[in-house]
Amino acid sequence: MSAADAPTVRPGVAPLHRAPRGISTRLFRSELALIGGRRRNQMGLLVLAAIPIIMAIATKMTATDRRRGGDLLSSMTSNGLFVPLAALLVEMTMFLPLAIAMLSGDAIAGEANIGTLRYLLTVPVSRTRLLLVKYASLCFGALWGVLTVAVPGAIIGIALFGFGDMPTLSGTTLSGGAAIGRFALVIVYLTTCLAALAAVGLFISTLTEQPIAAAVAVMIFVIVSWILDGVPQLDWLHDWLLVDRWLAFQDFLRDPIAWHDISQGLFVNGLYAVVFWLLAWARFAGKDVTS
Amino acid sequence: MSLFARRPWTRWAVPASALALVAAGTVAASTSATADPTLPERTPAQLLVDIQSAKVTGLSGTVVQTADLGLPSISIPGAKKGSADLSSTIMGTHTWRVWYAGDTKARLALLGQGSESDIIRNGTDVWMWSSTTKTATHYTVPANFGPKKDAGAITAPRIAEGLATPLPSSPQDAADKALALLDPSTEVTAPGTTTVAGRAAYQLVLTPRAKESLVASVRIAVDAETKVPLRVQVMSTRIATPAFEVGFSAVDFGTPDDHTFTFTPPPGTTVEEGTSPLAGAGDKSGAVGKGVNPMVPGENPRLPATPGSQPPVPGMPGVPAMPGVPAGLAMPSISGTGWATVIVATMPKSSPSTSTDAAPDARPAAGPNPLEIIQGAMTPVSGSWGSGRVLEGTIFTAIITDDGRMAIGAVGSDTLQGALAAGPIARPAE
């Protein structure tokens, strides 16, 4: 009832009090509505979507020397799908992790901060399940973020540069259908990367009642990981850094696909997801919630 | 659950045990991956025969190459991990993908972070592709080009090949001759087995007898089943990890699909027709023709098909100096033998900074000259022979004297200085 008293804060939660029985997706749907309904998240999605559009238009206007730069950026003019791929490459280092940091900061710490967490816990749902739902919604948020870059990027890219056979890094060409398949694989892979970060974020979120602090801590985690990843003396550690294989999604653009780094990345993603979710569970299930 | 309720701290044991489980699993996996398998014993001579008579109809795999030559860390563009610039392979870690199907079909791909360089041979066509410059260069080679060499490259390491003179009558003969030639300078042993890329392999170890050698040993892992060399490691006396290592991290001896070797330049690519540098590359000097693609200064003719055919190991008998030892040096004098060979040479007076590269004009014009940076990072040293600068690598040492001489060898600085002191007085190059 309390949540219903404050509909502006948790508009989607109220029905849960009436229908707690069985395996329900209501809690999950309510979480998604909450994430999608926040104005700051909507603004964040706009920024994410703007990057590929800006990149595509800037490239279209200045596309004179396509041989400059060796990466996806310079391939943009050859196929529209390279626009979202280049945008993902750019945003994967900072913007997309930032989006996950914000979402995971809101997940537990944000609720605690505005005092809705204890009401949420009055829902006859175990803390473990609540945490699972929170994590599932964060994973969905990860997919959401990746798609927000990928779909507008693909649309603007194909509109400006056309679509057809896609050259690979190996110098071969893929048919349009195969290219879309590779693109889908990239989206799935990057979603798992961000979902693993979301588990870290969820754990950090259980440690504090300040969503900003949690978000900042997640970003520090990401940045420190990037820095460590750049220190050659620590190469023994690199395999175990979450961010190390994030950019390996470009291996999907080789012919044939180079699976080695990708599979290592998936393994590390899974490892982080499991361990940090369990840490979050250990912390959250025994936590005194006072606000 | 009741335990968790009564003693909440016990919950932390769950993530901890998950972590421990993964750690244990990883350790177990890596132990079993490096465990020494039990194989029937082979003598070094038998292994050399095996290597020579190995026949591979096809393979595909991933080759990881790491070099820790002790060069000052300089900013050769892309010298860090994951560059696909073929000229950057002298430092750091690099990953290759290799495909091989018979003598006339082969493909090498050097993987970079978001970039790739490929060399594809299919019959008489050789394509070199660079994703960075979006350039495809086409060369034509004679149809019969290479089979013998390729076969040799994939079946026998250069050492055996180079030393088996006069023409051996059988692989066994060749192996015996090679061992006899090696014996005075090198102890050849087959101490045991190892696992490379998940495959059981024999270890063939060459240990220099010369005490002053910086090369502690050269270890060659030979696949127990196919007898293909899977890994070559050059161990230094100065560091515990290999100074140079190239080996498969994954390998499959099935014949790759034909389409792996077909190459059609994608639209938007600059296509160049190269005058074949490979035509003159049958010899071992690695001489570079004029039409060489700028992205591979001096390296392409001896690009390896397998770890077994890597560029000659520095300090190896018969290949006494580093690859890239000056081509324009005047009358080098050689002192010492075998692994302790020291070359003292007079550097051409013109630009010493470029004289140590076999193909200086092949280097991309942009960017700082790595040699200059290396020279700047060398330590001043002086002795009865004069003064100069020394570069102490992990498996070689080089001294460039102020009067224009250069000494290089797979030995320590003191041995080099001794050679310099005993060597001829520097004279201006004529």
Side-chain angles (χ1 to χ4, degrees), chain B residues 26-165:
Chain B
T26 310
V27 169
S30 74
T31 318
S32 75
T34 54
D36 299 347
T38 312
L39 295 169
E41 275 199 21
R42 304 289 280 175
T43 64
Q46 282 172 321
L47 280 177
L48 285 181
V49 174
D50 288 345
I51 295 171
Q52 287 197 322
S53 50
K55 284 278 175 281
V56 180
T57 54
L59 69 79
S60 55
T62 308
V63 173
V64 176
Q65 170 200 335
T66 54
D68 184 3
L69 300 180
L71 296 175
S73 58
I74 51 174
S75 56
I76 294 178
K80 289 187 303 184
K81 172 188 178 186
S83 158
D85 184 355
L86 288 173
S87 65
S88 68
T89 54
I90 56 165
M91 295 171 71
T93 299
H94 295 274
T95 306
W96 301 79
R97 297 170 89 190
V98 298
W99 295 267
Y100 175 85
D103 291 335
T104 61
K105 286 183 184 173
R107 179 174 153 199
L108 282 167
L110 176 58
L111 308 189
Q113 182 83 269
S115 59
E116 185 170 319
S117 293
D118 281 57
I119 300 175
I120 301 144
R121 165 143 196 235
N122 196 347
T124 59
D125 295 319
V126 174
W127 283 97
M128 292 183 41
W129 155 260
S130 162
S131 74
T132 306
T133 55
K134 305 252 183 306
T135 328
T137 313
H138 179 249
Y139 300 97
T140 310
V141 294
N144 62 351
F145 171 78
K148 212 170 141 196
K149 182 176 182 296
D150 283 1
I154 200 146
T155 53
R158 286 266 166 92
I159 344 151
E161 192 185 81
L163 289 169
T165 51

Side-chain angles (χ1 to χ4, degrees), chain A residues 73-153:
Chain A
L73 285 167
S74 67
S75 303
M76 286 207 300
T77 51
S78 60
N79 190 306
L81 274 190
F82 279 118
V83 171
L85 290 169
L88 285 170
L89 183 66
V90 170
E91 299 200 35
M92 201 55 198
T93 47
M94 210 49 77
F95 274 151
L96 284 168
L98 183 62
I100 295 300
M102 283 179 60
L103 293 188
S104 51
D106 282 335
I108 305 289
E111 302 260 16
N113 189 44
I114 55 175
T116 47
L117 185 58
R118 56 182 159 167
Y119 301 128
L120 191 58
L121 291 177
T122 61
V123 179
V125 162
S126 74
R127 288 190 180 194
T128 303
R129 181 159 166 228
L130 178 66
L131 207 60
L132 275 176
V133 168
K134 284 281 184 189
Y135 184 57
S137 62
L138 286 179
C139 292
F140 196 85
L143 178 64
W144 206 336
V146 175
L147 287 177
T148 304
V149 181
V151 173

Side-chain angles (χ1 to χ4, degrees), chain B residues 7-384:
Chain B
R7 300 190 198 285
W9 60 266
T10 53
R11 297 170 199 276
W12 292 97
V14 179
S17 51
L19 197 60
L21 206 66
V22 173
T26 310
V27 169
S30 74
T31 318
S32 75
T34 54
D36 299 347
T38 312
L39 295 169
E41 275 199 21
R42 304 289 280 175
T43 64
Q46 282 172 321
L47 280 177
L48 285 181
V49 174
D50 288 345
I51 295 171
Q52 287 197 322
S53 50
K55 284 278 175 281
V56 180
T57 54
L59 69 79
S60 55
T62 308
V63 173
V64 176
Q65 170 200 335
T66 54
D68 184 3
L69 300 180
L71 296 175
S73 58
I74 51 174
S75 56
I76 294 178
K80 289 187 303 184
K81 172 188 178 186
S83 158
D85 184 355
L86 288 173
S87 65
S88 68
T89 54
I90 56 165
M91 295 171 71
T93 299
H94 295 274
T95 306
W96 301 79
R97 297 170 89 190
V98 298
W99 295 267
Y100 175 85
D103 291 335
T104 61
K105 286 183 184 173
R107 179 174 153 199
L108 282 167
L110 176 58
L111 308 189
Q113 182 83 269
S115 59
E116 185 170 319
S117 293
D118 281 57
I119 300 175
I120 301 144
R121 165 143 196 235
N122 196 347
T124 59
D125 295 319
V126 174
W127 283 97
M128 292 183 41
W129 155 260
S130 162
S131 74
T132 306
T133 55
K134 305 252 183 306
T135 328
T137 313
H138 179 249
Y139 300 97
T140 310
V141 294
N144 62 351
F145 171 78
K148 212 170 141 196
K149 182 176 182 296
D150 283 1
I154 200 146
T155 53
R158 286 266 166 92
I159 344 151
E161 192 185 81
L163 289 169
T165 51
L167 286 177
S169 52
S170 70
Q172 183 64 55
D173 188 24
D176 291 344
K177 281 199 164 72
L179 283 177
L181 269 170
L182 282 171
D183 191 60
S185 64
T186 313
E187 188 186 2
V188 183
T189 52
T193 57
T194 185
T195 304
V196 178
R199 298 180 65 91
Y202 289 100
Q203 283 268 51
L204 187 64
V205 177
L206 314 178
T207 312
R209 293 193 197 275
K211 281 194 193 71
E212 56 269 50
S213 168
L214 287 180
V215 177
S217 64
V218 176
R219 305 198 297 206
I220 303 166
V222 182
D223 185 40
E225 190 189 325
T226 63
K227 313 301 190 227
V228 170
L230 293 178
R231 186 179 65 196
V232 175
Q233 293 173 314
V234 181
M235 308 301 289
S236 161
T237 53
R238 291 191 169 158
I239 51 174
T241 52
F244 181 85
E245 173 172 350
V246 58
F248 283 105
S249 64
V251 65
D252 175 10
F253 285 98
T255 307
D257 282 345
D258 259 3
H259 71 80
T260 311
F261 305 102
T262 55
F263 182 84
T264 315
T269 301
T270 313
V271 180
E272 292 166 1
E273 191 67 26
T275 49
S276 175
L278 299 170
D283 59 46
K284 285 193 201 121
S285 68
V288 182
K290 278 179 186 164
V292 67
N293 187 309
M295 71 182 185
V296 271
E299 282 296 318
N300 59 325
R302 47 183 185 206
L303 280 171
T306 70
S309 65
Q310 262 300 298
V313 175
M316 198 74 88
V319 195
M322 284 295 295
V325 149
L329 285 187
M331 291 183 304
S333 72
I334 294 171
S335 62
T337 55
W339 297 88
T341 302
V342 174
I343 295 189
V344 180
T346 312
M347 310 222 300
K349 286 190 84 178
S350 53
S351 62
S353 59
T354 54
S355 67
T356 46
D357 193 314
D361 51 337
R363 187 185 300 115
N369 183 339
L371 257 307
E372 274 170 14
I373 308 174
I374 291 182
Q375 248 174 337
M378 289 166 81
T379 326
V381 64
S382 63
S384 60

Side-chain angles (χ1 to χ4, degrees), chain A residues 169-171 250 254-257 271, chain B residues 97 107 112 114-116 129 266:
Chain A
L169 291 175
S170 309
Q250 296 168 93
R254 303 186 196 280
D255 192 25
I257 297 174
L271 175 64
Chain B
R97 297 170 89 190
R107 179 174 153 199
S115 59
E116 185 170 319
W129 155 260

